[in-house]
């Protein structure tokens, strides 16, 4: 049975709200523009890629690879 919210089907995704600084916003906007994607789609692609390739992160630049 399909679920509805306000008469619209509910997709399987989850909305995530986060706060980023101006520089990260600029970089994300530029990357999204180059890839011809929205910033939301660009952030989703990049997060998915990161989680597929790294099992952990201690801080920026210090990642634990899954490979």
């Amino acid at each position: 049975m399909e679920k509805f919210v306000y008469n619209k089907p509910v997709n399987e995704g989850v909305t995530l709200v986060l706060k980023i600084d101006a520089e990260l916003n600029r970089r994300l906007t530029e990357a999204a523009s180059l890839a011809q994607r929205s910033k939301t789609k660009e952030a989703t692609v990049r997060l998915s890629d990161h989680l597929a390739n790294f099992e952990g992160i201690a801080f920026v630049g210090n990642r634990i690879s899954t490979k």
Side-chain angles (χ1 to χ4, degrees):
M1 179 179 221
E2 195 170 21
K3 295 179 184 176
F4 288 83
V5 175
Y6 301 110
N7 298 322
K8 294 182 182 180
V10 176
N11 67 18
E12 296 299 318
V14 174
T15 299
L16 177 67
V17 177
L18 59 107
K19 188 174 184 176
I20 59 176
D21 64 27
E23 175 61 14
L24 187 55
N25 184 52
R26 184 194 65 75
R27 291 173 56 199
L28 182 60
T29 300
E30 184 177 310
S33 178
L34 289 171
Q36 297 182 337
R37 293 191 273 256
S38 67
K39 284 198 305 187
T40 299
K41 183 63 176 173
E42 185 67 22
T44 300
V45 168
R46 287 171 174 266
L47 181 58
S48 295
D49 180 72
H50 178 84
L51 293 174
N53 290 296
F54 301 99
E55 66 181 47
I57 184 167
F59 51 86
V60 175
N62 185 4
R63 296 170 297 280
I64 303 165
S65 180
T66 57
K67 296 177 180 179

